[in-house]
Amino acid sequence: MTPVVEELSKELATQVYILKIDVDQYEELAEQYRVQSVPTFILFDKGEAVWRKSGIVNKSVLLEEAEKLIK
């Protein structure tokens, strides 16, 4: 998934922040957002988690969901 995340980061660079968190290093954060499997994608709007998906996610799905928040 890393190549997909990197592509999206470049494509959406001026519109969104894309962060990759090491759940082993930031266990408290993983617990706070109830991350039980890796990868887990969470989209936030104004600090609130509004969409989440665990497992492999198609780039087009991630892009579509991010674009909904941008508009």
Side-chain angles (χ1 to χ4, degrees), residues 1 4-7 10-11 13-14 18 22 24-25 27 33 36 39 43 48-49 57 61 64-65 67-68 71:
M1 291 299 315
V4 170
V5 172
E6 289 174 357
E7 287 176 27
K10 289 176 185 173
E11 289 178 32
T14 62
I18 297 179
D22 181 340
D24 293 325
Q25 185 175 355
E27 292 179 20
Y33 289 104
Q36 297 179 356
L43 299 180
E48 181 180 335
V57 180
V61 171
E64 180 181 328
E65 294 299 326
E67 286 177 338
K68 286 179 188 177
K71 294 178 182 179

Side-chain angles (χ1 to χ4, degrees), residues 39-57:
T40 295
F41 299 92
I42 306 173
L43 299 180
F44 293 86
D45 187 22
K46 298 179 180 93
E48 181 180 335
V50 295
W51 182 89
R52 73 182 294 132
K53 180 79 173 161
S54 295
I56 296 173
V57 180

Side-chain angles (χ1 to χ4, degrees), residues 22-36:
D22 181 340
V23 295
D24 293 325
Q25 185 175 355
Y26 297 97
E27 292 179 20
E28 289 181 20
L29 190 59
E31 286 180 26
Q32 179 181 350
Y33 289 104
R34 292 174 269 123
V35 175
Q36 297 179 356

